[in-house]
Amino acid sequence: MTNQTAADATLDPALEAEVREIAKRAKVASRALQNATSGIKNDLLNAIADALVGSAEEIVAANTLDMERGRERGLTPGLLDRLELTTERVASIASALREVAGLPDPVGEIVRGSTLENGLKLKQVRVPMGVVGMIYEARPNVTVDAAALALKSGNAVILRGGSAALESNRKLVQIIGDTLEAQGLPRELVQTVDEYGREGGVALMRARGLVDVLVPRGGAALIQTVVLESLVPVIETGTGNVHIYVDASADLDKALPIVMNAKTQRVGVCNAAETLLVHEDVAEEFIPRAYAALTEASVNLHADDRTRNLVPGGAGIASATETDWETEYLSLDLAVKVVSSIDEAIEHIRTYSSGHTEVILTESLAASEQFVDEIDAAAIMVNASSRFTDGGMFGLGAELGISTQKLHARGPMGLAELTTTKWIVNGHGQVRP
Amino acid sequence: MTNQTAADATLDPALEAEVREIAKRAKVASRALQNATSGIKNDLLNAIADALVGSAEEIVAANTLDMERGRERGLTPGLLDRLELTTERVASIASALREVAGLPDPVGEIVRGSTLENGLKLKQVRVPMGVVGMIYEARPNVTVDAAALALKSGNAVILRGGSAALESNRKLVQIIGDTLEAQGLPRELVQTVDEYGREGGVALMRARGLVDVLVPRGGAALIQTVVLESLVPVIETGTGNVHIYVDASADLDKALPIVMNAKTQRVGVCNAAETLLVHEDVAEEFIPRAYAALTEASVNLHADDRTRNLVPGGAGIASATETDWETEYLSLDLAVKVVSSIDEAIEHIRTYSSGHTEVILTESLAASEQFVDEIDAAAIMVNASSRFTDGGMFGLGAELGISTQKLHARGPMGLAELTTTKWIVNGHGQVRP
């Protein structure tokens, strides 16, 4: 745990004051969208999409400056790839915007309501948060995506993107601002604090009372920093140390494709599997089959001794250490362990789970019920791949991330998670007895 | 804003380690209630109520020690009154416990669910948070109340009460622990860190990952400290700088009883009115009437000049300052201002509102809609007293407090706010395409 927090970080007071002014302008601007119809918001998003496509050359030119600087600074090919914008990528960002425009609008939903005995009419209505802050890394597509989700849910947004994408983000925000103005809306609905660098992000985290919620999007280190440093409430997304437990009664013909899908379909994502636990009753049959298929798919195993002893040449498999049980590899690596009982599997998961997704493969009703009851995670899969924990797969629409916290949102988050509610009470002169 | 936060407070590492052990034991103990039926939980609460009544003499004896120390330390009569336990008060605490036992159990509710095209069966189910922390002041009744709400919602709780109530709380927690054991449940479901003093509270605020949510209950200073210092997610309850706006089209015969009820029915509560805004078109008629009734009820006004000029002898009324507009008096004081328009009223409220409850009195549909749309608060009342913002009044049952934050809970909070959800997905071998 760091001892350095946003509250005590040395921060230039003039800079902090400027960021607070930005946040105040965002709050005022947010009122323009607070009661806007879905039609107005959708037209806006479609207009931004048009503007981006129309300005694709300018955007790519700005991005070229970032790319050049990135190469000079020696960014890895992976980071450069995430940073790069091409005309095709701009078109795909625009098409994601149109998709958000097509999603149902959460604002205005009546969550519950009733008429009390005394005649008071109560309703709890979904309303925008107000001002949303987003802190993310050098992926310029997130700039547009974050703005789209915030605007569609009726909020103003303040962005803090990775410094490597400075020029790209500046251009994107300028185009969004111009479109807002052309639609008769304040350009302060979408602002950035990128020009203030890292301190801008810190000032944003300290703007409690002005920024209603902060959503960090990116790697574990970024999210952890924001969670620990922020005075503004945070929605934590992220880490998935996902386990698959193959029970004694698992149907091994179903189990193997699920393990392969969960581990190899896409490795760098939070809902990919990281540890495989196999009940000893089926280990002798399952482990060699899994080993063959996983090795074929270039997966490196990190296994306990019982596993290694079940595989011909298993001495060549890396011995799993404590670190392996704790690690979200996000790569073609998988920790493997043989357990003596479902209780041991549950205990292992309780110790190492990040509370994202946990999977049991079993044909036993009792085992599935025990696992579902006793495991505490955002999502629990019975006989299905962990890769299904996803807003789109769940039918919730565009995804803001997968929350692994318990407050406000847990699991895949959609537009509704960027809203809050208010109670509206209609009377005709009632007083409390 | 304080620069001293929980993350950097100097804290004895041995003490922090002990508190973390307490939190770990709470986490393990919480599993005993995680899937307990409502019957088991209700029996437990009723048994605790019986035990408290049966041990009333012991409780009062322990409390006498606190009272004596309190008198020696020169606690005010008000604080001593809050601290005091009598046989009657113990009976009333027990009866509050039985009421919580009678509330509907939020755990197990299926929040939503569906069957996807690929046959996956999804349900989102309400489950306990796990470990709840409560930080409060020297009111021993809160010790039992907090434990009851946590247990009924299936959680373990770690308490940090005011040091003035140390002996009372120790006795209460001991009785609760004995009852838990007698019911075959771990006594670590209800623990305190009171013996560690203020540092115990700080260690609790730092126990991120072990404590799932912290709920501060008490005065504004306590809540503010916890909100700013805690690394554990906090549910903020509290401050109510409540406004009543009497519109140009208000029915003044309805308005006066509402103003009187909101200001005088109970003054020390967050849903009491603190500022009265009156439209200039009705000020000449309404202000003198309100002044007479409020003065009769011993309410001190703090008014702007327009108000003071409308009252005979109004020069004797205190002139309202910026501080008056900002203050939640929690006393027989009321700030009063004449406004020229509903827009001015809304602007004033936007500037000074704490986002708790705001009231409009009007017969105009347009005015009521504008107010409801443009004001951002947990509750908005049209032609009703602000005193109705209350879990009991709203029909939500026992109240944990009134949330003025936008995340997780907004407005009156009941048992459901001490729960989270998990997604349970049942398949038969599906993998992600």
Side-chain angles (χ1 to χ4, degrees), chain A residues 68-77 79-80:
Chain A
E68 281 166 8
R69 214 166 24 124
R71 279 190 207 96
E72 281 165 24
R73 285 190 192 171
L75 290 193
T76 64
L79 289 176
L80 285 171

Side-chain angles (χ1 to χ4, degrees), chain A residues 413-426:
Chain A
M413 296 189 294
L415 289 167
E417 277 66 34
L418 289 182
T419 66
T420 181
T421 57
K422 64 183 176 190
W423 287 96
I424 298 166
V425 184
N426 276 280

Side-chain angles (χ1 to χ4, degrees), chain B residues 48-379:
Chain B
I48 296 173
D50 292 344
L52 292 176
V53 170
S55 312
E57 279 184 33
E58 280 177 59
I59 295 168
V60 171
N63 181 253
T64 303
L65 300 174
D66 285 333
M67 290 293 288
E68 281 166 8
R69 216 168 21 125
R71 280 191 206 94
E72 280 165 25
R73 285 190 192 172
L75 291 192
T76 64
L79 289 176
L80 285 171
D81 179 58
R82 289 176 178 202
L83 178 58
E84 185 166 25
L85 290 177
T86 60
T87 311
E88 294 70 37
R89 285 190 177 182
V90 172
S92 119
I93 289 172
S95 123
L97 261 171
R98 293 186 216 279
E99 265 177 48
V100 176
L103 291 176
D105 185 346
V107 174
E109 181 200 347
I110 297 182
V111 178
R112 47 185 166 168
S114 59
T115 302
L116 302 181
E117 263 185 62
N118 60 11
L120 283 181
K121 292 189 176 70
L122 248 68
K123 55 185 178 180
Q124 189 182 25
V125 180
R126 199 170 284 291
V127 296
M129 281 273 180
V131 179
V132 175
M134 298 261 188
I135 299 189
Y136 52 101
E137 289 162 344
R139 304 182 73 157
N141 62 309
V142 177
T143 303
V144 181
D145 189 42
L149 293 168
L151 293 171
K152 174 78 186 207
S153 49
N155 296 289
V157 65
I158 303 175
L159 303 164
R160 158 67 182 137
S163 56
L166 188 66
E167 298 297 336
S168 315
N169 288 343
R170 194 202 310 270
K171 175 55 70 181
L172 291 168
V173 169
Q174 180 218 310
I175 294 167
I176 294 171
D178 292 348
T179 313
L180 282 162
E181 284 194 345
Q183 302 278 315
L185 290 163
R187 65 185 310 134
E188 291 78 15
L189 280 167
V190 179
Q191 299 177 91
T192 84
V193 293
D194 285 353
E195 58 179 301
Y196 302 105
R198 180 178 142 67
E199 287 202 314
V202 175
L204 202 55
M205 293 187 234
R206 282 166 70 143
R208 191 176 175 96
L210 297 171
V211 176
D212 293 297
V213 63
L214 259 185
V215 186
R217 299 177 72 179
L222 171 79
I223 291 167
Q224 202 56 10
T225 302
V226 175
V227 161
L228 290 178
E229 292 196 7
S230 183
L231 297 180
V232 172
V234 171
I235 300 183
E236 181 175 1
T237 58
T239 317
N241 190 14
V242 172
H243 300 77
I244 300 185
Y245 165 59
V246 181
D247 185 46
S249 72
D251 176 339
L252 302 185
D253 292 331
K254 287 182 199 162
L256 192 60
I258 289 176
V259 169
M260 295 307 295
N261 182 260
K263 181 67 252 183
T264 67
Q265 198 224 8
R266 215 175 141 200
V267 295
V269 290
C270 58
N271 59 16
E274 307 293 5
T275 296
L276 176 65
L277 303 170
V278 182
H279 191 286
E280 61 182 13
D281 290 358
V282 291
E284 211 165 319
E285 185 184 348
F286 187 67
I287 297 257
R289 284 174 64 183
Y291 175 72
L294 288 161
T295 308
E296 171 88 22
S298 306
V299 177
N300 303 311
L301 302 193
H302 307 255
D304 70 335
D305 289 343
R306 294 179 77 180
T307 301
R308 295 163 81 230
N309 291 336
L310 286 171
V311 179
I317 301 176
S319 244
T321 64
E322 182 69 13
T323 309
D324 288 300
W325 309 133
E326 289 167 354
T327 301
E328 183 190 20
Y329 295 114
L330 297 172
S331 61
L332 282 170
D333 290 84
L334 183 69
V336 188
K337 185 180 186 178
V338 174
V339 294
S340 304
S341 64
I342 184 172
D343 292 326
E344 189 187 339
I346 289 172
E347 198 47 46
H348 180 98
I349 294 171
R350 280 175 169 170
T351 308
Y352 300 104
S353 172
S354 61
H356 189 293
T357 301
E358 305 298 351
V359 181
I360 182 171
L361 308 180
T362 187
E363 299 300 309
S364 153
L365 184 59
S368 85
E369 288 188 344
Q370 184 185 351
F371 193 86
V372 163
D373 281 351
E374 297 187 2
I375 294 292
D376 187 27

